[in-house]
Amino acid sequence: MTQVHETDVRRPDGSTLHAYTAGPEDGLPVVWHHGTPNIGPPPRPLFAESDRLGLRWVGYDRPGYGGSTQRPDRPIGSAAADVAAVVDALGIDRFAVMGHSGGGPHALACAALLHDRVLAAVSASGPAPYGAPGLDWFAGMADPAALQASVAGRAEREAFDDAEHEGEPGFIAVDEQALEGEWSWFIEVVRPALASGPAPMVDDDLALARPWGFDPATITAPTLFLHGGGDRIIPASHGAWLADLVPRGELLLLPEDGHVSVMRAGEQALAWLAEHARAE
């Protein structure tokens, strides 16, 4: 059974990033970018496929989550420096990236800002930048209230958490089925992410609604956008917009899937990632 190992990485400013590794040390490194709100252990449901492909997982808790120091008002693009600190501490030069949901833009940040080091990228169920030309950003979201508050600023987003809000999560039936099966793993990484309160989730939402600090159009690595056609949390229009923008972008659209159930195609996406990373 693949074991997950944990370590702390100290950034130059003295803050800590809590990191995870799994798989053979000589495997092709894949940096996992967790969703919102999660902590950063790599996705156990994909371990069998990553073992077959000879991959080494690296993950980390974004600032404020789990064992990582909070860094309020960080932009999405700051993930590049965080990942560079983690992989440098592990002696890794070049690597692939994969992110789900709120982790998707953070994976793209690495591909854009560490372009000479990132071999290939996958963004699953990830949003496009707020204000993307030609994209109605909130259209199709089951409950966009938290993100709408984020656009208004920190005070409004924090007030949203203080108020009672009875919105629907946006999961469709196949999402519920996935969460009752092997992707119940998501529940394991959500609970500890919320244990210390909503602050890191607020920081994630604010970062999504502000300028990201990079242009996805500058990504030169092959990039796969995996999206469910029934996603009511981050609609598939976001993935399609990004796939059109990124020069080597590809869209894998699964019409019947939702935000979580699309990860049942994670093995297919991981095989794509390994093939394209090794070809670079």
Side-chain angles (χ1 to χ4, degrees):
M1 179 180 293
T2 302
Q3 299 294 315
V4 177
H5 303 279
E6 302 183 37
T7 188
D8 284 332
V9 174
R10 188 61 62 93
R11 295 179 77 256
D13 64 2
S15 63
T16 295
L17 293 167
H18 189 68
Y20 308 82
T21 58
E25 289 193 8
D26 61 351
L28 171 68
V30 177
V31 178
W32 171 251
H33 293 263
H34 65 78
T36 303
N38 295 174
I39 57 172
R44 190 173 64 242
L46 297 182
F47 280 2
E49 180 67 1
S50 62
D51 288 346
R52 186 186 73 80
L53 294 168
L55 306 181
R56 179 191 187 189
W57 286 108
V58 177
Y60 73 105
D61 300 334
R62 278 198 297 279
Y65 289 108
S68 294
T69 307
Q70 188 175 6
R71 202 182 316 139
D73 299 320
R74 56 176 173 79
I76 298 287
S78 67
D82 289 344
V83 167
V86 171
V87 296
D88 287 349
L90 296 171
I92 294 170
D93 181 19
R94 304 188 75 196
F95 52 92
V97 294
M98 183 174 188
H100 176 253
S101 189
H106 294 84
L108 298 181
C110 295
L113 299 175
L114 303 174
H115 57 89
D116 57 332
R117 301 183 69 175
V118 174
L119 298 164
V122 171
S123 173
S125 307
Y130 179 71
L135 176 66
D136 187 344
W137 207 70
F138 295 112
M141 293 185 184
D143 184 15
L147 289 173
Q148 288 170 336
S150 299
V151 171
R154 176 172 291 278
E156 288 79 1
R157 180 61 182 83
E158 290 178 344
F160 173 85
D161 276 325
D162 291 337
E164 292 187 10
H165 178 75
E166 297 184 0
E168 57 173 304
F171 295 133
I172 61 176
V174 286
D175 288 325
E176 300 289 354
Q177 292 166 10
L179 289 168
E180 291 171 359
E182 63 178 345
W183 286 99
S184 63
W185 171 83
F186 274 123
I187 299 170
E188 298 176 25
V189 294
V190 166
R191 286 173 177 161
L194 295 174
S196 58
M201 180 171 60
V202 169
D203 288 338
D204 266 356
D205 284 355
L206 290 171
L208 288 178
R210 294 170 173 168
W212 283 6
F214 68 95
D215 182 354
T218 64
I219 295 172
T220 58
T223 306
L224 179 67
F225 295 93
L226 175 64
H227 229 111
D231 193 333
R232 300 173 67 237
I233 297 176
I234 302 295
S237 55
H238 288 244
W241 189 92
L242 283 163
D244 284 342
L245 178 72
V246 174
R248 300 173 70 185
E250 298 180 27
L251 177 65
L252 177 55
L253 179 65
L254 302 179
E256 305 302 319
D257 277 304
H259 194 72
V260 171
S261 65
V262 76
M263 287 302 293
R264 297 184 298 189
E267 292 183 356
Q268 181 181 350
L270 201 60
W272 182 98
L273 188 68
E275 176 185 355
H276 285 76
R278 288 185 167 122
E280 290 297 300

